[in-house]
Amino acid sequence: MKELYLVFLYKMKNNYKYSSDKFQRVELTEEAIKLADLYIKEKVVGKSSLEDCRHIAIATINKVDVLASWNFKHIVNLDKIKGYNSVNLRHGYSMIEIRSPKDLIKYEKD
């Protein structure tokens, strides 16, 4: 049985309202597994971060605009982001934008 992930597919031109039509269920594919394994093989992170790598690979392959995470150790970390994007570019994928959820909050004008 394949694992299912809920990936936030959001177009930056919209304002940041989280309605259910902004989400799409996607599968963990062989392509995502291979890309996640490359992140580990190329030492972006260690083997214990496999699930984090799978989330990033799924988001990369599905071309999400921004991957939001509270994981500052393995995901929202400048050196790690550079590593993920280096692997992505060398293997024909686009760069991925990774941010903290607090960076995505749009405040109303007073």
Side-chain angles (χ1 to χ4, degrees), residues 37-102:
D37 289 344
L38 280 172
Y39 296 143
I40 292 170
K41 181 181 176 185
E42 298 192 22
K43 299 187 184 335
V44 176
V45 290
K47 292 179 184 177
S48 64
S49 298
L50 178 60
E51 289 302 313
D52 297 330
C53 291
R54 287 181 174 178
H55 285 115
I56 293 163
I58 289 169
T60 297
I61 290 165
N62 285 279
K63 298 181 174 146
V64 299
D65 292 308
V66 179
L67 173 64
S69 174
W70 289 112
N71 182 335
F72 296 105
K73 185 174 182 181
H74 302 117
I75 299 178
V76 189
N77 172 308
L78 186 57
D79 291 330
K80 304 299 183 198
I81 293 168
K82 288 178 182 179
Y84 296 125
N85 282 324
S86 175
V87 171
N88 287 351
L89 292 174
R90 285 186 279 115
H91 293 277
Y93 295 99
S94 300
M95 291 177 59
I96 184 163
E97 183 90 18
I98 300 175
R99 299 283 183 193
S100 160
K102 70 178 182 64

